[in-house]
Amino acid sequence: MTVGGWIFMLTSWAVILGLFAFCLYRTLGGRK
Amino acid sequence: MSRERWGSKLGVILAVAGSAVGLGNFLRFPGIAANNGGGAFMIPYFISFFLLGLPLMWIEWTIGRFGGGFEHSTAPGVFQTMWQKNRFIKYFGVIGIFGPTVIFIYYTYIESWILGYSFFALTGKYTACTDSTQMSAFLQGYQGLVHNEHFSGLKFAYLFFLITFVLNIVVLCFGIRGGIERVCKGGLVVLFVLAVILMIRVLTLGTPDVARPDWNTTAGLGFLWNPHWAKLKEAKVWLAAAGQIFFTLSVGFGVILTYASYLTKQDDVALSGLTAATTNEMAEVILGGSIVIPAAFAFIGPAGMQVITGQGLFDLGFVTMPLIFQKMAYGQIFGFLWFFLLFIAGVTSSISLAMPAIAFLEDEFNLTRREATIIFGVVTFILCQPVIFFLGNGVLGEMDFWGTSVSLVVFATIEAILFGWVFGIDRAWTQLHEGSDIRIPKFYRFIIKYVTPLMLVAILSVWCWQEWKKNLFLVGVDDANKPFVLITRIGLGGLLVFLLLMVWVVWKRRPETKEDV
């Protein structure tokens, strides 16, 4: 796997996991 | 009858996520990504997610909840409520019942193959097949396309179909809370656990063949993720990304609309829609991207990968992957976990596909859930038979064309234009934020009104030209199969006309009331 491959994979994972973490935080009662 | 409601916010989120997470997450996405630029594909993919997928998610959740407030769970009633002055818009809503019903008819049969293969994986029935020719023969024997040493007819396939079909109907009989929500809550948890186990198993395979050190799972990940920038200059790559987002999120089926109709006005749709979409993306990009391609690469290498990424979903799922799992230690168990994961993904999707038709019967003909489900079950059981007995004659492909390629894009385009332009973006924006737990960024007003519909019209136009033309004129269909395809087409036309008539009857019987919007 090239450096570009790692960047794309980890960035994609980070975007999705970040969105999920945001959703989880707000669902569990974070402020608007 | 009091209207059913979801038991919890988590329940509806997992039900929508369950509808979205399906075979495509694990079998379609990896091949599409690898063939269309690898890591670079994620650029058009995420652009499509934020400009097309997510807005459509929000649109469908919002109009579903809106329609539910007027006791309409399906698109004919919802569309009519949104555009009361137009007497004909409800007939366009019929696509939101036609499409998912047609897909349900063949999807349950495919789902039953997965159940069958779970059983075969555990019992080792296909372990004698050691290459793709033998495994293909096994599949064709199971499907009844040939008689061979593995199967002499459709007995096994039909038995697994009966089990799968009855399971779907039983779940649906228990309703939204007792059936769908319960199955999706448990099912999604099990699905994610199984997917993580398989992901860990695959990523720890290392280099199975020491004589071929380049054939390893890290290189396999590279096969999927290494960027091929030149591909981004090709329009077909951007179209493939938009199409993948479209299909993976289950938008345009009319299913999310129906599910959301069982929410109350105070229930959030903005955060729930985002959560369901993100859950699907986790299953697709993180889990789906880490099982098939790295596992296959480690055992068959780069040349083999070029062949399999060009394969269709069926060959990848039922020919290549069983062979791959057989090469692993404890392959029978991992093969079983793989097929069981796909089966759960299939069930949570198929029960959602049945809901628009069932909800239509309940709401508009005042039937109980059980009555509506049994009627739906009887009708679709009969309609499943041609798929089973004429599988090799193009019946499934024809249903897939009309149910998926045509219905989805047309329905989504109508939804988007209705929401942003007819209902009006101001009212739409207010509705979207009723009871919401998040504020969606204001630039999404522009995206929902202009960008999403434009993207849909562009996709519709290109597909119309590139895909529909050859399907409509039966290009590539064997002469022997043309009668079967045409009869299927006439049958589907008949089903559509029947649904349109049902809508006409319902509205004719309805007293003249203006639903207060």
Side-chain angles (χ1 to χ4, degrees):
Chain A
M1 186 134 118
T2 61
V3 170
W6 281 111
I7 290 172
F8 270 107
M9 188 179 88
L10 295 175
T11 307
S12 300
W13 287 25
V15 167
I16 291 164
L17 290 171
L19 268 175
F20 188 73
F22 168 76
C23 291
L24 205 60
Y25 169 69
R26 293 304 287 266
T27 303
L28 294 173
R31 283 181 184 275
K32 274 187 213 201
Chain B
M1 266 183 292
S2 65
R3 193 167 175 77
E4 274 192 278
R5 296 288 178 208
W6 295 98
S8 62
K9 188 182 171 95
L10 181 69
V12 64
I13 289 170
L14 290 182
V16 173
S19 173
V21 175
L23 307 186
N25 295 65
F26 299 97
L27 294 174
R28 195 171 187 273
F29 167 75
I32 294 270
N35 281 334
N36 288 285
F41 177 74
M42 298 314 288
I43 294 174
Y45 184 86
F46 276 119
I47 288 173
S48 297
F49 176 77
F50 286 110
L51 298 184
L52 182 69
L54 209 45
L56 278 171
M57 256 299 185
W58 282 325
I59 288 170
E60 235 179 279
W61 275 80
T62 306
I63 69 177
R65 184 187 61 180
F66 176 77
F70 298 96
E71 309 273 315
H72 292 299
S73 300
T74 53
V78 174
F79 283 6
Q80 187 69 82
T81 312
M82 290 172 75
W83 196 1
Q84 291 183 25
K85 288 183 184 160
N86 187 315
R87 289 185 301 133
F88 300 105
I89 194 63
K90 58 182 171 287
Y91 297 109
F92 288 89
V94 165
I95 304 171
I97 302 172
F98 173 79
T101 303
V102 168
I103 299 168
F104 175 86
I105 290 166
Y106 65 80
Y107 198 85
T108 37
Y109 187 43
I110 298 169
E111 195 178 302
S112 73
W113 300 351
I114 298 171
L115 181 65
Y117 269 64
S118 310
F119 176 77
F120 300 146
L122 212 52
T123 56
K125 187 164 168 69
Y126 56 58
T127 47
C129 305
T130 53
D131 62 35
S132 55
T133 308
Q134 293 170 357
M135 197 60 86
S136 289
F138 184 91
L139 176 63
Q140 289 182 328
Y142 177 76
Q143 293 169 334
L145 298 176
V146 297
H147 286 198
N148 53 30
E149 67 271 29
H150 306 292
F151 302 99
S152 57
L154 275 170
K155 286 189 288 294
F156 267 103
Y158 207 84
L159 174 65
F160 284 113
F161 164 70
L162 284 175
I163 295 170
T164 305
F165 192 87
V166 168
L167 176 69
N168 273 270
I169 297 302
V170 166
V171 170
L172 289 161
C173 275
F174 280 99
I176 292 288
R177 205 184 287 206
I180 297 173
E181 187 170 336
R182 206 174 271 179
V183 163
C184 290
K185 270 182 172 169
L188 267 277
V189 170
V190 171
L191 185 152
F192 271 87
V193 167
L194 292 180
V196 168
I197 291 171
L198 286 164
M199 180 181 167
I200 293 171
R201 170 66 286 215
V202 166
L203 295 181
T204 53
L205 280 171
T207 310
D209 185 352
V210 292
R212 295 183 163 112
D214 290 343
W215 294 13
N216 58 66
T217 48
T218 308
L221 286 172
F223 184 86
L224 176 57
W225 289 104
N226 291 343
H228 305 287
W229 298 103
K231 282 283 191 180
L232 293 184
K233 290 185 216 161
E234 295 175 34
K236 76 170 181 76
V237 167
W238 293 81
L239 205 61
Q244 180 59 25
I245 280 294
F246 202 81
F247 292 128
T248 195
L249 290 176
S250 279
V251 286
F253 287 87
V255 163
I256 296 175
L257 184 157
T258 298
Y259 273 4
S261 74
Y262 298 104
L263 294 168
T264 69
K265 214 174 166 181
Q266 293 77 36
D267 288 325
D268 155 83
V269 294
L271 178 59
S272 299
L274 178 63
T275 310
T278 308
T279 306
N280 180 73
E281 292 310 306
M282 283 206 303
E284 172 143 303
V285 176
I286 298 177
L287 299 172
S290 304
I291 298 174
V292 167
I293 298 253
F297 192 99
F299 288 102
I300 65 176
M305 290 307 295
Q306 297 296 345
V307 173
I308 73 161
T309 49
Q311 279 178 342
L313 196 140
F314 293 158
D315 277 345
L316 186 57
F318 296 100
V319 175
T320 303
M321 289 312 292
L323 287 170
I324 298 295
F325 281 109
Q326 273 182 191
K327 293 176 196 277
M328 289 182 203
Y330 303 105
Q332 266 179 256
I333 303 212
F334 286 111
F336 167 73
L337 294 183
W338 164 250
F339 283 110
F340 193 62
L341 173 158
L342 292 182
F343 182 68
I344 295 173
V347 170
T348 54
S349 296
S350 59
I351 56 179
S352 72
L353 292 165
M355 271 309 297
I358 291 173
F360 180 72
L361 290 172
E362 268 189 287
D363 289 345
E364 314 296 355
F365 290 93
N366 250 329
L367 300 179
T368 63
R369 168 54 52 99
R370 196 156 287 196
E371 285 166 348
T373 306
I374 288 170
I375 292 171
F376 174 82
V378 168
V379 171
T380 50
F381 182 82
I382 294 167
L383 295 177
C384 282
Q385 305 309 304
V387 178
I388 299 169
F389 292 100
F390 300 113
L391 182 70
N393 300 107
V395 171
L396 193 151
E398 181 71 2
M399 286 181 143
D400 182 54
F401 172 66
W402 291 104
T404 310
S405 303
V406 175
S407 297
L408 253 63
V409 194
V410 171
F411 188 75
T413 309
I414 295 171
E415 274 188 317
I417 293 171
L418 203 56
F419 190 71
W421 290 87
V422 175
F423 196 59
I425 191 61
D426 291 333
R427 212 157 41 138
W429 194 251
T430 306
Q431 276 295 320
L432 174 51
H433 283 91
E434 282 266 357
S436 93
D437 292 335
I438 55 170
R439 290 293 313 172
I440 296 169
K442 283 211 174 95
F443 58 78
Y444 263 98
R445 284 176 60 109
F446 179 85
I447 290 170
I448 287 171
K449 184 166 182 179
Y450 296 103
V451 179
T452 306
L454 264 171
M455 284 180 81
L456 284 165
V457 169
I459 291 169
L460 196 62
S461 309
V462 175
W463 276 352
C464 207
W465 185 249
Q466 282 184 353
E467 298 294 324
W468 296 4
K469 217 169 46 143
K470 60 178 196 270
N471 277 286
L472 280 172
F473 296 109
L474 306 181
V475 172
V477 175
D478 287 344
D479 286 341
N481 290 336
K482 279 182 181 164
F484 294 93
V485 172
L486 286 170
I487 291 171
T488 305
R489 189 169 295 181
I490 292 167
L492 291 172
L495 177 64
L496 181 65
V497 166
F498 178 69
L499 289 169
L500 289 166
L501 272 168
M502 283 176 81
V503 169
W504 181 77
V505 164
V506 165
W507 258 263
K508 199 147 168 65
R509 285 175 0 179
R510 190 183 285 272
E512 281 287 325
T513 53
K514 225 173 161 36
E515 278 153 336
D516 183 6
V517 292

